[in-house]
Amino acid sequence: MKTRRALVVAGILLVSVLAFLVVTSAIQRAGAADAPSLAGMATISGAVDAPKPFKAAQVHLMNTEKNVLFMVYTSGGRYRAVNLFPGRYEITVRKPGLAADPKSVVVAANGAETVNFSLREQAAQPLRQGEFGFTTQRAGEVKLLSYDELYPRGPGRVVLEKTCLYCHGNNFFPIKQLPEPQWSHFIDYMLGKDNERGAMVPAGTLTEKDRAVLLAYLTQNFGPQSEKRGLKSDADFPLDEAALGKAMYVEYYLPLDPKLDAGNKQRRTQEPHFDPSGNVWYTDRSVPNRIGRVDPRTGEFKDFMMPDPKADPHGLTVDTQGHVFWAETVGFHLGRLDPATGSMTRYPMDATGQKKGAGHTPVVDSKDNVWFTVIRGDMLGKWDRATGRSTVWKVPTAGAAPYGIALDRAENVWFAEFRRCKIGKFDPKTEKFTEYDALTQPCTIRRLGVDSKNVVWYGGFSSGKLGKIDPATGKVVEYAIPMPFSEPYDVWPDRHDDIWISDGGQGGALIKFDQRTEKFTYYPAPQITDQPKLAITREGGVWYTPRSSSKAAVGVLYPDVTRITTLAARY
């Protein structure tokens, strides 16, 4: 009898454990799908089916009243978007080779709606890389070809790749249709002849023989009789549906002013940065230039007109008092905005007035001094809070083109040398420079970040590599990013020291690199674009600006919507 009773009890316990495991498994699978919305926000969910298997389709939910896009991915044929602004939505589902008619729905505050989709097969449209200077989303803009079709193999391609292509990018030459004399002039210009900026190609890297081979190759393949073409991006992103099912993109689209933007096809945003109140600031490089702000909690924008409407504000930062600083690439000034009064002040980047150049990116130190890079002029600068004056130092390598900038825990200043494939370090105490060569040469490096252990991370923009430097040992390591033609623009650590990469190489994606497992996780972007600079909130929201997209915006990726406690953006 005791044995039978023991068996019954054991059976009941086993069933209970199994039931618990099933429920737990279901909860884990649901994950972000069951994430609650913030108070006053809304939820839209549904099922998506298709005549053939698919993974991680993009569901675009456009709030037509706020002009804000929310985008989530399907997981197991279902989607759920939380923390939506109440209002009217136009919903579309996007997946290469599949399509569905859009649907409309109105969702109330604290409300939830269900919208299902059935996809049908259709021909997939070829994609072109997201790149500064043109919009890549216009179908049929140029003929898209493979790399070998654009650049036929031979000695000329070898010279082009090592001398020109790594800096100009894959889509620069195929849209040119120039005669031999003009190509010859441009080669001389890059060598420093009749060029006030100096040589862009390092001295001694292009022999007379190589120059002749290069000129013949350019004239033959990109001469007056050639057709305008572009690089086809047709590789499939590696998709982790479990990770993507937890994620959500939000893009806040900039309003167009009927007068100011009458001649603009689009506005061009660059460099997000947070202020102490949780707003996101950005530079607008369309003419007239503006400094702008969006409140993520409401979607409301406010723009401040620049004193010089063509100064071209590049980088931007915010001090502890909420004052906004920007660097101008035209005029060689550092600007300062007081949002409370709207007043703007411009400071010469060299207080002596003896040096000239083009500003690029600023960063604030713990004393609210502003450090900045000078891309044309090869300098690093500091605006002193106490004196209001700027000092500049020449970097050791000529033609370096200092670009992105970051501070380590000791407030050493690190900067990317865009054209010379190096990372520079400046010690403010000793005023000494140290330079580190990237492993893959030649290359271009745009930006860099420093993690909690003072390890410096950089992106090999032209090499498709993620690199790291251990300042304690001087050791440099590089990781190959999986996608072909990858273009890591910015690399920035979050609070867990995962490294986030903005990459326009295959049309636009944010990528997470887990340095403990060395795993890359891709989050394809809502628009075809590049994303030049990242800023990451304390909750892990990755903010960016889709610079070359068809719709100018300030955007954020929430990798895990269950962690959202506020829409405010704070470091």
Side-chain angles (χ1 to χ4, degrees):
M1 181 67 73
K2 290 183 179 180
T3 302
R4 180 179 296 178
R5 184 180 296 116
L7 289 173
V8 171
V9 172
I12 293 173
L13 289 173
L14 178 61
V15 170
S16 299
V17 170
L18 290 173
F20 173 78
L21 291 175
V22 169
V23 171
T24 301
S25 177
I27 292 172
Q28 290 174 341
R29 287 197 306 271
D34 291 331
S37 277
L38 300 175
M41 305 301 276
T43 300
I44 299 176
S45 60
V48 179
D49 59 46
K52 61 181 182 181
F54 68 93
K55 288 176 61 178
Q58 294 184 356
V59 182
H60 292 234
L61 305 101
M62 181 67 189
N63 186 308
T64 58
E65 298 164 4
K66 289 279 191 179
N67 202 26
V68 176
L69 175 77
F70 298 82
M71 191 201 83
V72 295
Y73 304 89
T74 62
S75 179
R78 299 196 62 83
Y79 74 93
R80 191 167 189 264
V82 299
N83 296 321
L84 307 178
F85 292 124
R88 178 175 295 278
Y89 282 84
E90 296 290 332
I91 308 175
T92 56
V93 181
R94 300 181 184 179
K95 186 68 180 177
L98 296 168
D101 295 329
K103 294 186 178 183
S104 300
V105 67
V106 176
V107 61
N110 300 312
E113 296 290 337
T114 300
V115 183
N116 300 324
F117 288 88
S118 291
L119 304 180
R120 60 181 180 274
E121 293 190 57
Q122 73 169 21
Q125 294 292 322
L127 297 180
R128 182 178 172 189
Q129 287 179 307
E131 205 167 296
F132 177 66
F134 57 82
T135 298
T136 62
Q137 210 165 8
R138 291 192 290 265
E141 182 182 25
V142 294
K143 186 177 182 179
L144 301 182
L145 300 172
S146 69
Y147 185 83
D148 284 340
E149 290 173 313
L150 291 178
Y151 301 102
R153 295 178 184 274
R157 186 170 95 170
V158 174
V159 178
L160 185 74
E161 288 174 332
K162 75 176 184 179
T163 307
C164 314
L165 200 60
Y166 74 92
C167 191
H168 283 290
N170 297 318
N171 278 302
F172 178 82
F173 293 97
I175 61 171
K176 307 299 181 186
Q177 300 167 302
L178 306 178
E180 182 181 67
Q182 198 160 356
W183 280 124
S184 181
H185 165 73
F186 283 139
I187 293 174
D188 287 342
Y189 183 84
M190 299 306 291
L191 290 171
K193 298 178 182 178
D194 299 322
N195 182 357
E196 62 179 13
R197 300 182 183 184
M200 304 298 177
V201 177
T205 59
L206 187 67
T207 66
E208 283 299 320
K209 179 180 178 181
D210 283 346
R211 186 192 186 283
V213 170
L214 175 62
L215 179 59
Y217 187 84
L218 291 172
T219 305
Q220 179 181 351
N221 293 288
F222 312 109
Q225 306 306 316
S226 65
E227 181 182 8
K228 288 188 177 182
R229 296 151 290 164
L231 177 64
K232 180 168 59 177
S233 300
D234 55 2
D236 293 328
F237 284 112
L239 300 176
D240 182 342
E241 195 173 55
L244 293 175
K246 301 177 182 178
M248 180 171 70
Y249 272 99
V250 185
E251 289 193 341
Y252 300 80
Y253 294 123
L254 272 65
L256 291 174
D257 186 286
K259 294 182 179 180
L260 296 178
D261 299 307
N264 293 336
K265 294 181 180 179
Q266 67 189 66
R267 297 177 66 177
R268 180 167 289 129
T269 51
Q270 179 123 8
E271 293 225 15
H273 203 95
F274 316 144
D275 68 17
S277 299
N279 302 305
V280 181
W281 291 83
Y282 56 88
T283 56
D284 179 5
R285 301 178 69 187
S286 60
V287 179
N289 299 157
R290 281 155 274 189
I291 301 298
R293 177 184 73 200
V294 62
D295 184 340
R297 294 153 290 201
T298 64
E300 295 178 358
F301 283 87
K302 183 174 178 59
D303 286 324
F304 298 82
M305 298 299 299
M306 295 269 295
D308 181 349
K310 295 184 179 180
D312 192 21
H314 197 284
L316 172 146
T317 190
V318 183
D319 68 14
T320 57
Q321 302 172 39
H323 294 158
V324 182
F325 288 81
W326 71 86
E328 300 176 359
T329 62
V330 178
F332 200 41
H333 283 83
L334 184 72
R336 179 183 183 183
L337 164 68
D338 182 349
T341 64
S343 63
M344 292 186 174
T345 308
R346 297 168 76 215
Y347 303 92
M349 286 187 166
D350 174 28
T352 67
Q354 298 177 0
K355 296 183 175 64
K356 295 182 180 181
H360 197 273
T361 303
V363 65
V364 175
D365 67 18
S366 61
K367 297 180 181 178
D368 271 351
N369 302 308
V370 182
W371 293 86
F372 55 87
T373 48
V374 180
I375 188 170
R376 190 168 69 247
D378 296 333
M379 290 178 282
L380 179 71
K382 174 192 175 184
W383 177 81
D384 187 272
R385 167 70 57 172
T387 65
R389 293 171 60 85
S390 296
T391 303
V392 291
W393 294 265
K394 273 280 187 180
V395 304
T397 300
Y403 207 94
I405 187 172
L407 305 178
D408 65 19
R409 298 300 180 272
E411 300 208 318
N412 295 303
V413 185
W414 292 82
F415 58 95
E417 299 187 15
F418 173 62
R419 291 197 183 93
R420 294 300 181 254
C421 201
K422 296 180 180 181
I423 297 296
K425 173 190 171 184
F426 179 75
D427 185 335
K429 300 181 184 68
T430 63
E431 298 188 4
K432 291 184 178 180
F433 286 92
T434 306
E435 293 180 309
Y436 300 82
D437 290 318
L439 294 185
T440 303
Q441 297 281 340
C443 77
T444 52
I445 302 174
R446 293 187 181 270
R447 298 195 174 277
L448 74 173
V450 184
D451 69 18
S452 67
K453 298 179 177 62
N454 261 4
V455 173
V456 179
W457 296 82
Y458 65 88
F461 182 75
S462 61
S463 64
K465 301 292 179 62
L466 171 65
K468 70 174 182 180
I469 301 168
D470 185 345
T473 64
K475 183 179 179 181
V476 182
V477 177
E478 289 187 344
Y479 306 87
I481 299 176
M483 291 289 283
F485 307 115
S486 179
E487 293 177 343
Y489 204 115
D490 193 18
V491 293
W492 202 257
D494 63 19
R495 288 199 166 192
H496 305 288
D497 277 347
D498 289 323
I499 309 301
W500 288 89
I501 307 164
S502 57
D503 191 335
Q506 289 292 338
L510 292 173
I511 311 169
K512 183 179 81 170
F513 177 72
D514 185 331
Q515 58 175 302
R516 292 161 288 276
T517 63
E518 299 185 2
K519 177 186 177 182
F520 291 89
T521 303
Y522 277 77
Y523 297 80
Q527 298 192 78
I528 301 170
T529 187
D530 67 337
Q531 299 153 305
K533 181 73 181 77
L534 303 180
I536 303 179
T537 71
R538 61 184 66 170
E539 293 183 333
V542 184
W543 284 85
Y544 64 95
T545 49
R547 183 174 62 172
S548 59
S549 61
S550 62
K551 298 185 69 174
V554 182
V556 58
L557 166 67
Y558 296 105
D560 187 346
V561 295
T562 65
R563 296 183 179 181
I564 299 176
T565 62
T566 176
L567 298 183
R570 292 188 173 91
Y571 291 108

